Each structure stands twice: as structure tokens, then as C-alpha cells.
Amino acid sequence: MNRLVIVGASLAGLRAAESARRTGFDGTITLIGAESHLPYDRPPLSKAYLDDTEPEIPFYRGRGELAELNIDLRLGRSATGLDTSARTVEIGDDTVEYDALVIATGASARTLPGAERLAGVHTLRTLDDARAVRAALDAGARTVVIGAGFIGSEVASAARKRGLPVTILEALPTPLVRAVGPAMGTACAALHAANGTELRCDTAVSALEGNGSVERVRLSDGTAIGADLVVVGVGADPNTDWLNGSGLTVDNGIVCDATLAAAPGVYAAGDVARWHNPAFDRLMRLEHWTSAQEQGALAARNALDPANAQPYSAIPYFWSDWYDSRIQFAGIPAGTEFELFGSVGAGRLLALYGDGERLVGALALNRQPDIMKLRALIAKRTPWAAALDFAADRAAAWPVAVSRGFAGVRSGSC
Amino acid sequence: MRISVDRTKCTGLGICESIAPDIFEIDDSGDLVLLREEVTAEQRALVEQAIEGCPTFALKWAQ
């Protein structure tokens, strides 16, 4: 085992390289990244990087610190093919041989038809995207965000922090249903109204219009909204096109077993990996910082020592910062039971999700002291009734008295 | 071994508490508290995980 190749130079790929070296691997590591930038951290791009202060580019390591890892770093190069029999990765006309391969090619932001024709229309996934969005905010743009997901909501927050007008357009009747369920989608949406962002649900976009630069967003009812900046936040697709013909199973990501193995010698990590998560006994593909970094590290260890490969069992976790509020979610929003403590109006809430027997998910709004304790309860497969007791005890100790149950929260509208 | 927290970076996300609840906890005001100053040999691997797992790069070993 002399040659480790890692395709993808974002968080999962970098962690794979770091973890390989930490375990004592002294062979060659080739790290291939499609972007020309040194590896950088993505969460700040839709948060602090957009603030009205001197921007700090969130590189993980400087060039010197990267050199300490002794890796063959190939940036600005996209892998174009994989041959799992010959154990080679193609990068255009170049071929790189591997003994162990970690694929961490991530995901790409979805866009809208015609978006590329107009200046001022951006996704927010890469550093280049963030620079463009930031520059538009610096210029005082009237902003329209398409898609009321987490990225779009963070962009809206950044615009409002600068006092700029912003409208969010959401095609579905309720935002964030897949991520947090209908009741909490509605509850989170209330943060937009409270902070001066106009959120329009059930609203379809028919065209982006302008002459060179975007000038307005045309809606399906014929009306239009003026815009200098349009941010398209309608999700991301895993970067798997280059794997056509490779023999790997690709179905909304690279399908992997519990050890992140996709084929002999081939492991996947991060947004591109759809692996069997033993914690929920199902295939999952997560676009979360925490799983990317953990999977990257484990995928490299497993790739270099497949005989002792360890499973990746995880309770999903993500966070999002909206205005002055922090939303944290652990587990999965699916379930037959739901209970709520607190409210958006009270400035804090906990929502619990059950599957009929046990706690499977938890959302916290401005309750950082509680969320990781609930995450631990999910991992321990805590029965629903015991989880409710725990949350009730926690909520009783909050500095303000809060209600329990659905008062004021209805699903199906925003 | 001692742990150092960069308070200018920590925002209380709590991943460290999730990894090592005997060492890290987010207190009621949302701030990270270290439940112990010294880390035993058995706890080292967990603290390493917490350092790596911190999304704001706020943790490291004290010199």
C-alpha cells in the first residue's frame, strides 16, 4: 500500500490526507482538487464572510502547513475518469495510479435555466461564488433569494444585517420540510418576518430578466420583483458524472457500505458519499460539515487498512445561523411523534421527533446547552417518553417560562 | 495535557461536548466550559477528536 489518491480537496479530502499521515502512512498522497484555491472552509462563506467587515478567507492551512503533509497537491484539476480494475484515476490526459482511493468530490449547487447568461445571478457554494455575492452586497444590492433553504436563509440574514432589502422566493408551501419537517419549517420561517425579510412561499419563478445583468425576477403569476443580486439556493447534486463507466454504484451519490467502501480499494467521504448508516439502518447522504470531516478521516484509515475497516455510525448534525439566532439539528426529522418546548416568539425552542418508540431527531433554536445532550440521547436510542421527560426538565430550567406543544405553530403555510 | 480554548473563535456549537461530554459542556449561557483542566491518557484520543471536530477551530493542546 504505497499510493493513496484522494479526489476532492475540500474538508473531507483534506481530512483524509491528514488522517493518513497521522496513522503513519508514509507512501505518496496525491490530492486532486477541481478548484484552484487552497482548501478552504465552506460554512463561513454564507455567514461571517458576507458581513460588512474586512473579509477573511477561511483557508484551512497555508501553503507551508500543507507542505508539512508532504502531499502531491494538484489544484485546478478535475478528475475525469476512474478505472477500478487498473486502479487508475484520469485527470484529463494524465493518469494517476492508486493502491487506495478516497473519493470526496462533493456536490455542486443546482442552478436555474438561463442563470449563466446574466451577471448578478449566483449560487453560493464556492469561494468564487461568495466573493461575487459579497461584492454585490457591498454595492448595496436589492437581493432576491430563490429557495428558502439554509444557504438562502443565511444570505438573507447577511443582507438584512447590512440593512438591505431582501425577498426569499420558495416554490413549496412550507420551507425546509425535508430538513426539519413542516412544523419547524413554519417556525423557522417566522424568523424571516421578524427580521424584515419578505418570504413568499408557493411562489414559482418563471424567468430571470435583464440586459446583461439581472434586473428582475419574473414570477409565474406575471408579476416581477426588481433585483440587482439573485442568489439561487435550490440544493446541490453530488459530483459523480466523472464516474460514468467506472462500475461504481451511483444513485444520488456513491453508494457505499457502512465502512464507506464503494469497491475494493475505493472509499467515499463527504457530500458525495451515500453510505449505509448503522445508526438508522439506512442509506444516507449528508451535506454536513461534521460528517464530511469524520468520514474523510475514516475513509482514509479504512482505505489504507481494509482488513480492519470500521463502520461509520453517525447521528447527523448541522447548524445554521439566521440573523441573531442559531438553529441546530441532530438526527433525522422523520417520525410519527413530535413535541415542542418554547417558541420562536420566546426566542428559544426545542423540538423532538420520535419514530413511535424512541427519539430520532431534535431541533434547537438558541438552545446550545441542550442540543448535544439530545444528540447523545438519540445515539443511545432513548425511548420517546424518557426523551420528553428530559426535554421538559431542561426547558423548566430556562430563564423564561415557555409553553409546551403546538401553540402558534401550524404547518402548511409561511 | 491541558486543553486551550480560543474564546475569539468558539461559538458554542458543542461538537466537543458531543464527542467528550466528561470534558466539555456548553453552559446555560451558550458558552463552552471545560469540566476538567487536566486530561488523562485515556481521554487523549477523545480530545484529539474534539480538536479535529471543532468547526470553528477553537480547540488545541495548550503549550
Side-chain angles (χ1 to χ4, degrees):
Chain A
M1 199 71 83
N2 289 314
R3 297 165 301 186
L4 172 64
V5 172
I6 303 164
V7 186
S10 193
L11 177 59
L14 180 64
R15 282 290 197 259
E18 292 171 342
S19 131
R21 287 297 181 227
R22 195 170 321 106
T23 57
F25 176 69
D26 61 1
T28 62
I29 298 178
T30 306
L31 181 60
I32 301 161
E35 293 178 62
S36 57
H37 307 293
L38 293 176
Y40 59 85
D41 200 29
R42 293 189 200 278
L45 297 182
S46 52
K47 302 180 179 77
Y49 186 81
L50 298 181
D51 284 349
D52 189 15
T53 52
E54 190 60 29
E56 189 180 332
I57 298 175
F59 292 120
Y60 290 118
R61 290 164 169 255
R63 214 165 259 285
E65 287 176 297
L66 271 176
E68 289 168 12
L69 290 173
N70 187 24
I71 51 180
D72 174 8
L73 186 60
R74 304 195 189 182
L75 297 177
R77 305 292 308 277
S78 295
T80 49
L82 170 65
D83 184 332
T84 53
S85 314
R87 296 204 168 198
T88 56
V89 173
E90 288 164 31
I91 316 172
D93 293 335
D94 292 343
T95 299
V96 183
E97 299 180 335
Y98 67 83
D99 300 308
L101 176 67
V102 173
I103 301 175
T105 41
S108 293
R110 290 185 199 126
T111 184
L112 294 179
E116 69 289 346
R117 289 185 298 104
L118 292 170
V121 181
H122 303 283
T123 54
L124 184 38
R125 173 88 191 171
T126 66
L127 177 56
D128 294 341
D129 291 338
R131 282 177 165 152
V133 170
R134 190 191 147 83
L137 294 175
D138 283 345
R142 295 168 300 160
T143 303
V144 172
V145 174
I146 299 176
F150 288 106
I151 295 284
S153 296
E154 290 188 337
V155 171
S157 302
R160 291 302 303 144
K161 273 190 198 170
R162 292 163 173 256
L164 299 173
V166 56
T167 303
I168 303 177
L169 306 175
E170 168 60 46
L172 297 174
T174 308
L176 294 170
V177 170
R178 208 166 50 87
V180 300
M184 284 304 96
T186 304
C188 292
L191 290 170
H192 291 309
N195 287 278
T197 294
E198 186 184 0
L199 169 63
R200 296 197 200 173
C201 293
D202 242 336
T203 301
V205 171
S206 62
L208 302 173
E209 298 177 351
N211 187 7
S213 297
V214 70
E215 292 166 18
R216 71 197 80 80
V217 177
R218 182 72 59 186
L219 306 180
S220 58
D221 66 4
T223 62
I225 304 170
D228 311 301
L229 167 67
V230 172
V231 177
V232 180
V234 293
D237 292 314
N239 291 324
T240 52
D241 285 353
W242 66 286
L243 296 169
N244 288 341
S246 67
L248 297 188
T249 304
V250 172
D251 176 13
N252 179 29
I254 300 168
V255 176
C256 306
D257 71 11
T259 70
L260 305 172
V266 181
Y267 290 75
D271 294 11
V272 78
R274 185 155 172 251
W275 96 110
H276 183 264
N277 185 354
F280 293 94
D281 191 25
R282 70 180 70 169
L283 284 173
M284 286 190 179
R285 186 177 74 79
L286 302 177
E287 297 176 357
H288 304 160
W289 192 98
T290 295
S291 42
Q293 84 94 11
E294 291 174 349
Q295 289 177 349
L298 182 64
R301 289 201 301 274
N302 286 349
L304 293 171
D305 187 10
N308 295 302
Q310 301 296 310
Y312 181 63
S313 182
I315 308 302
Y317 167 74
F318 66 85
W319 81 98
S320 187
D321 293 336
W322 298 18
Y323 312 101
D324 295 325
S325 289
R326 171 161 283 172
I327 298 164
Q328 294 173 288
F329 192 94
I332 56 174
T336 52
E337 275 123 353
F338 180 80
E339 183 60 294
L340 181 63
F341 300 85
S343 65
V344 172
R348 67 209 75 204
L349 68 77
L350 286 180
L352 271 55
Y353 304 73
D355 72 350
E357 291 177 23
R358 60 190 178 108
L359 179 71
V360 295
L363 180 147
L365 175 71
N366 299 328
R367 282 309 302 167
Q368 302 193 143
D370 301 326
I371 187 66
M372 290 306 173
K373 295 175 178 67
L374 289 165
R375 190 179 187 222
L377 295 187
I378 297 167
K380 282 187 253 179
R381 309 174 74 86
T382 303
W384 178 244
L388 286 182
D389 289 346
F390 176 84
D393 284 350
R394 296 291 298 182
W398 292 355
V400 295
V402 294
S403 58
R404 175 171 174 172
F406 289 89
V409 177
R410 294 187 315 279
S411 62
S413 65
C414 73
Chain B
M1 298 288 281
R2 294 168 70 93
I3 304 159
S4 155
V5 183
D6 185 337
R7 298 286 170 183
T8 67
K9 293 181 177 173
C10 179
T11 66
L13 280 165
I15 294 288
C16 51
E17 177 181 335
S18 200
I19 293 168
D22 293 338
I23 300 170
F24 304 97
E25 186 172 16
I26 305 301
D27 72 11
D28 210 58
S29 51
D31 297 325
L32 172 62
V33 290
L34 295 178
L35 300 177
R36 58 194 66 206
E37 292 286 318
E38 294 286 337
V39 174
T40 65
E42 298 81 61
Q43 291 169 328
R44 253 188 90 155
L46 280 178
V47 174
E48 292 282 356
Q49 264 188 54
I51 291 172
E52 265 206 9
C54 176
T56 58
F57 312 100
L59 299 176
K60 61 178 183 181
W61 292 113
Q63 294 300 315

